[in-house]
Amino acid sequence: MAFDKPMIRDSEGFDWVVEQHSQFFMIGYRVKKHLFSGQSDFQKVDVYETEGHGKLLMNDNLAMVSDRDEYIYHEMMAHIPLFTHPHPKRVLVIGGGDGGTAREVLRHTSVESVRMVEIDKMVVDASKEFIPVTASCLSDERITVDINDAVKFVAETNEKFDVVMVDSTDPIGPATPLFGIDFYKNIYKILEDDGVVVSQGESPFYEQPMQVKLMSIVSELFPITSLYNFTNLTYPGGLWSFTFASKKFHPLKDFNRERVLESGIDFRYYNEDLHSACFALPSFMRNSLRSYIKL
Amino acid sequence: MAFDKPMIRDSEGFDWVVEQHSQFFMIGYRVKKHLFSGQSDFQKVDVYETEGHGKLLMNDNLAMVSDRDEYIYHEMMAHIPLFTHPHPKRVLVIGGGDGGTAREVLRHTSVESVRMVEIDKMVVDASKEFIPVTASCLSDERITVDINDAVKFVAETNEKFDVVMVDSTDPIGPATPLFGIDFYKNIYKILEDDGVVVSQGESPFYEQPMQVKLMSIVSELFPITSLYNFTNLTYPGGLWSFTFASKKFHPLKDFNRERVLESGIDFRYYNEDLHSACFALPSFMRNSLRSYIKL
């Protein structure tokens, strides 16, 4: 890496934690306190108290969650599939050890159970201790937290789900198999006949080959597939995607605006207009992914 | 500033140019060569050759234009008003000295003349020399480039325009008066009775008070007002807005998708779906700006 330590010191003596990309781009956050640092069997886990973004969770020196913008990723991962599927009851969250996705899922009163399968106990424990804004929901009685390998779980389980959310890190380290076809064949198998799956879909600007790969996999298996976008503060390039794949329900044609308005959920990012608008892709994405978008 | 020089050196000896915000956030680009540095009467102007983003123009150490993502800002500034107004002929670009906005305007065959009023000749000259991807259009015979104070120009001119684009820097230094009500009263005056104005509208995440101020000004003067969003790589937070204000034409109801498809323009970001989708605002924006949005 260009900077051999994750923190650099400025002219006034303040420390900044720096996330580096492709040897040519970086994002830095001023640090008030380095709250936690650990090495699990899977990755390095750090929590920083930052000056402007609150608590910041980093895995292998890549930003995962900040207090300031976590609601965006988590709302968009959860509410798009849960307002596409008309009556979601059983939800599987793969990864998502910080608890933010589960928190948004639990805001849906139709949901009876959430199973979370997270490989890294250290992420769950660090989030519980330092990031209550996402992790406090993990004590909800509708949640079961399995510390387990999701690849193994989806291959072996007999449970079925209405909605699956693949809330994974990038395809390096422990998350690599979550970007393969065998994994998605098993996701297909454990989904009900009208099930929906969404997945962390990487950067349109910096990781287009990975987006193409993921979309080629899901479009081979599912009849309805697309990507949808959001913008947050802590993922490089701002713009980020989720992949969307569905056996039956169409995210635009089967969408009922009234259900969003009647839910009474106080969204900070998602809403009934964005639900459809986020599927409108910039031309450069539409052009490169055209053959995998089935809407 | 936290870093007292615009460039810092990494462990391998490479230089990075760093943009800093609010003392707590920074973005860095690895530099291959510092091509130009000048101090004009208005601001510091620098052009860097970067490792991953091509040429990068910075005014007062804030990123203005990079080769890699400039098309996004410029397409979204130009095509939204020009595909809202059904027959735009005379266009005024305020600022935009790099030429990128004018380039996109000139792709519309209906446009007969573009007047560009840029206060800082150094920006135009540096762009012509180092950033041909935006500046090469400035020799087009339909363009007139005035090196002039736009505040003075809009107060004194007798010309009328169909569309005005306020392609300004942030409200510090020379652009400060471009964020005031007197300026917009003059914009209103020089617009035809069916005219449209769009303006660089700042960051929804980091500059919400400025967005509120701008929207309160335009919504006092114009019957149809809103913001629309885009995401680029080099503006802090990724998500960014333009304000939209119109005397007659509605950006959604009067929009004709066929005109976009028939234009034959090869867009890289804008398209007929994004035209409407970009007006769907995240809840946090909708909530804070609700009283100024008239759509």
Side-chain angles (χ1 to χ4, degrees):
Chain A
M1 300 301 276
F3 294 89
D4 53 9
K5 291 176 188 165
M7 287 216 268
I8 58 178
R9 185 155 291 183
D10 72 17
S11 332
E12 296 168 6
F14 294 112
D15 286 324
W16 294 66
V17 59
V18 164
E19 173 170 338
Q20 301 170 57
H21 286 276
S22 314
Q23 304 283 345
F24 62 72
F25 180 49
M26 68 170 171
I27 309 171
Y29 307 91
R30 192 170 132 190
V31 171
K32 287 163 87 168
K33 198 170 178 187
H34 193 166
L35 295 169
F36 174 80
S37 190
Q39 177 70 48
S40 75
D41 290 343
F42 307 100
Q43 56 204 341
K44 187 163 163 282
V45 178
D46 289 277
V47 182
Y48 300 90
E49 175 75 41
T50 69
E51 187 64 33
H53 294 78
K55 309 281 178 49
L56 176 68
L57 169 69
M58 296 183 102
N59 294 352
D60 288 337
N61 301 320
L62 301 175
M64 295 290 123
V65 166
S66 95
D67 279 350
R68 183 164 180 157
D69 70 341
E70 58 78 21
Y71 65 95
I72 302 172
Y73 177 97
H74 296 131
E75 286 189 11
M76 291 300 279
M77 169 150 260
H79 299 311
I80 297 286
L82 293 176
F83 281 115
T84 295
H85 194 296
H87 39 71
K89 290 180 182 169
R90 286 176 304 280
V91 176
L92 171 65
V93 176
I94 288 170
D98 56 82
T101 298
R103 180 194 65 207
E104 294 302 314
V105 173
L106 290 166
R107 298 171 87 179
H108 288 253
T109 51
S110 72
V111 170
E112 295 169 0
S113 69
V114 184
R115 181 175 288 278
M116 202 176 104
V117 180
E118 164 64 56
I119 201 168
D120 195 345
K121 186 168 184 295
M122 188 179 279
V123 171
V124 178
D125 291 343
S127 300
K128 279 184 176 169
E129 186 168 354
F130 297 108
I131 312 180
V133 68
T134 57
S136 60
C137 74
L138 294 177
S139 55
D140 190 287
E141 60 183 15
R142 285 180 287 165
I143 293 192
T144 310
V145 179
D146 278 356
I147 303 299
N148 196 354
D149 180 352
V151 174
K152 197 160 158 273
F153 175 82
V154 299
E156 295 174 358
T157 187
N158 293 316
E159 286 184 72
K160 292 265 188 178
F161 299 93
D162 299 310
V163 174
V164 175
M165 303 175 186
V166 186
D167 184 1
S168 73
T169 53
D170 297 323
I172 46 173
T176 308
L178 306 185
F179 290 76
I181 182 128
D182 293 337
F183 178 69
Y184 277 94
K185 282 182 180 167
N186 283 323
I187 295 278
Y188 188 92
K189 182 196 72 181
I190 67 172
L191 276 172
E192 298 282 1
D193 291 344
D194 56 6
V196 177
V197 55
V198 296
S199 312
Q200 189 275 97
E202 295 294 327
S203 163
F205 288 119
Y206 293 118
E207 301 292 344
Q208 196 174 76
M210 185 51 67
Q211 291 205 321
V212 169
K213 185 187 167 193
L214 250 183
M215 284 302 295
S216 72
I217 288 172
V218 296
S219 69
E220 200 178 313
L221 300 172
F222 290 84
I224 298 168
T225 54
S226 191
L227 290 94
Y228 61 96
N229 286 336
F230 65 96
T231 306
N232 83 359
L233 295 171
T234 45
Y235 293 173
L239 190 68
W240 211 261
S241 306
F242 289 111
T243 61
F244 177 97
S246 174
K247 289 187 177 181
K248 178 178 171 187
F249 297 115
H250 191 288
L252 309 177
K253 293 174 193 164
D254 292 318
F255 174 59
N256 176 0
R257 292 169 62 90
E258 293 307 312
R259 227 182 103 216
V260 177
L261 297 169
E262 288 163 6
S263 73
I265 302 175
D266 185 22
F267 308 105
R268 296 172 66 193
Y269 189 89
Y270 176 87
N271 58 50
E272 73 285 1
D273 292 329
L274 265 189
H275 181 99
S276 303
C278 68
F279 285 91
L281 304 178
S283 292
F284 75 93
M285 290 183 72
R286 208 164 71 165
N287 293 341
S288 70
L289 296 159
R290 197 180 295 269
S291 45
Y292 311 115
I293 294 171
K294 301 190 288 184
L295 271 193
Chain B
M1 302 302 273
F3 295 88
D4 53 9
K5 291 176 186 166
M7 285 215 268
I8 57 178
R9 185 156 291 183
D10 72 18
S11 331
E12 296 168 5
F14 294 112
D15 286 325
W16 295 66
V17 59
V18 164
E19 173 169 338
Q20 300 171 58
H21 286 275
S22 313
Q23 304 282 343
F24 63 72
F25 180 49
M26 68 167 168
I27 309 172
Y29 306 91
R30 193 170 131 190
V31 171
K32 287 162 88 167
K33 198 171 178 186
H34 193 167
L35 295 169
F36 175 80
S37 190
Q39 177 70 49
S40 75
D41 290 344
F42 307 101
Q43 56 205 342
K44 185 163 164 284
V45 178
D46 290 278
V47 182
Y48 299 90
E49 174 74 38
T50 68
E51 187 64 33
H53 294 78
K55 309 281 179 48
L56 175 69
L57 169 69
M58 295 183 101
N59 293 352
D60 288 337
N61 301 321
L62 300 175
M64 295 291 123
V65 167
S66 96
D67 279 349
R68 183 164 181 155
D69 70 340
E70 59 78 20
Y71 65 95
I72 301 172
Y73 177 97
H74 296 131
E75 286 188 11
M76 290 300 280
M77 169 150 260
H79 300 310
I80 296 286
L82 294 176
F83 281 115
T84 295
H85 194 296
H87 40 70
K89 290 180 184 170
R90 286 176 303 281
V91 175
L92 172 64
V93 176
I94 288 171
D98 55 82
T101 298
R103 180 194 65 205
E104 294 302 315
V105 173
L106 290 166
R107 299 172 86 180
H108 288 252
T109 51
S110 71
V111 170
E112 294 168 359
S113 69
V114 184
R115 182 174 289 278
M116 202 176 102
V117 181
E118 163 65 55
I119 201 167
D120 195 344
K121 187 170 183 295
M122 186 178 281
V123 171
V124 177
D125 291 343
S127 300
K128 279 183 176 168
E129 187 168 354
F130 297 108
I131 311 180
V133 68
T134 56
S136 60
C137 74
L138 294 175
S139 54
D140 190 287
E141 60 184 12
R142 286 181 286 166
I143 293 193
T144 311
V145 179
D146 278 357
I147 302 299
N148 196 354
D149 180 352
V151 173
K152 195 160 160 274
F153 175 83
V154 299
E156 295 174 357
T157 186
N158 293 318
E159 287 184 73
K160 291 263 187 179
F161 299 92
D162 300 309
V163 174
V164 175
M165 301 175 187
V166 185
D167 183 2
S168 73
T169 53
D170 298 322
I172 46 173
T176 308
L178 305 186
F179 290 75
I181 184 131
D182 292 338
F183 177 69
Y184 278 94
K185 282 182 178 166
N186 284 323
I187 295 279
Y188 188 93
K189 183 197 72 183
I190 66 171
L191 276 172
E192 298 283 1
D193 291 343
D194 56 6
V196 177
V197 56
V198 295
S199 312
Q200 189 275 96
E202 294 295 326
S203 164
F205 288 119
Y206 293 119
E207 300 292 344
Q208 195 173 77
M210 185 51 67
Q211 290 205 321
V212 169
K213 184 187 167 194
L214 250 182
M215 283 303 296
S216 74
I217 288 172
V218 296
S219 68
E220 199 177 313
L221 301 171
F222 290 83
I224 298 168
T225 53
S226 191
L227 291 94
Y228 61 96
N229 286 337
F230 65 96
T231 305
N232 82 359
L233 295 172
T234 46
Y235 293 173
L239 190 69
W240 211 261
S241 305
F242 290 111
T243 61
F244 176 98
S246 175
K247 288 187 177 180
K248 178 179 171 188
F249 297 115
H250 190 286
L252 309 178
K253 293 174 193 163
D254 292 318
F255 173 59
N256 177 358
R257 293 169 62 89
E258 294 306 313
R259 228 182 101 216
V260 177
L261 297 170
E262 288 162 6
S263 73
I265 302 176
D266 184 23
F267 307 105
R268 295 173 67 193
Y269 188 90
Y270 175 86
N271 58 50
E272 73 285 0
D273 293 328
L274 265 189
H275 182 100
S276 303
C278 68
F279 285 91
L281 304 179
S283 292
F284 76 93
M285 291 182 73
R286 207 164 74 164
N287 293 341
S288 70
L289 296 159
R290 197 179 295 271
S291 45
Y292 310 115
I293 293 171
K294 300 190 287 183
L295 273 194

